[in-house]
């Protein structure tokens, strides 16, 4: 996604082979990831000789949080604090009094705040600035 975010506006679709080479990811594995991102509405795919992938929205309108949730699943480190995949812990006596749960809720909230507040454009700009330094 970061590689695609660096493509100029209106650029032709980027072939999967080029994305795989740039990301150093096996093509078959990348195929699955790209399909998930496409199904989530973050990418458009085009078939044919000039086919490939483009972001479905401008890079500044796609957050790292969106991408990570599609690829990795919920941001919460434990299921009892997940907003999308909640499950109670089997050995917990009281969620309301669980110190680990309370700490993990703060971790989840801060992680979401940072990742949802960082767009692909922000991340690529930071990457370019770091490389120039």
């Amino acid at each position: 996604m970061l590689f695609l975010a660096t493509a100029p506006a209106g650029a032709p679709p980027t072939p999967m082979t080029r994305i795989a080479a740039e990301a150093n990811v096996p093509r078959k594995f990348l195929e699955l990831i790209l399909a998930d991102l496409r199904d989530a509405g973050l990418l458009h795919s085009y078939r044919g000789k000039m086919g490939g992938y483009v972001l479905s929205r401008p890079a500044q309108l796609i957050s790292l949080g969106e991408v990570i949730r599609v690829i990795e699943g919920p941001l919460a480190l434990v299921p009892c604090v997940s907003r999308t995949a909640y499950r109670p812990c089997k050995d917990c006596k009281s969620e309301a009094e669980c110190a680990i749960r309370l700490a993990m809720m703060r971790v989840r909230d801060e992680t979401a705040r940072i990742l949802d507040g960082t767009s692909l454009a922000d991340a690529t700009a930071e990457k370019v600035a770091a490389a120039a330094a």
Side-chain angles (χ1 to χ4, degrees):
M1 291 295 282
L2 292 173
F3 177 64
L4 292 175
T6 63
T14 303
M16 184 187 315
T17 52
R18 185 161 175 229
I19 299 168
E22 181 68 28
N24 196 26
V25 174
R27 189 171 184 267
K28 286 292 183 188
F29 181 63
L30 180 62
E31 219 172 275
L32 299 171
I33 293 170
L34 293 173
D36 288 343
L37 292 166
R38 183 196 62 226
D39 293 346
L42 298 177
L43 291 177
H44 289 301
S45 63
Y46 298 91
R47 293 179 179 252
K49 184 178 177 183
M50 300 302 291
Y53 293 85
V54 296
L55 299 179
S56 63
R57 302 188 306 256
Q60 64 268 20
L61 299 179
I62 299 174
S63 75
L64 291 180
E66 288 180 273
V67 175
I68 290 170
R69 284 180 185 95
V70 170
I71 296 171
E72 299 292 335
L75 297 178
L77 297 176
V78 292
C80 68
V81 299
S82 176
R83 289 195 168 130
T84 58
Y86 170 84
R87 285 191 332 267
C89 295
K90 293 177 183 167
D91 57 350
C92 188
K93 293 178 180 154
S94 169
E95 281 188 359
E97 297 173 13
C98 179
I100 293 171
R101 182 173 191 269
L102 295 174
M104 289 298 178
M105 286 174 79
R106 289 196 315 268
V107 170
R108 177 208 61 207
D109 292 346
E110 283 302 302
T111 301
R113 183 185 65 76
I114 294 166
L115 294 175
D116 291 338
T118 305
S119 70
L120 292 177
D122 297 332
T124 55
E126 290 168 9
K127 184 178 171 183
V128 168

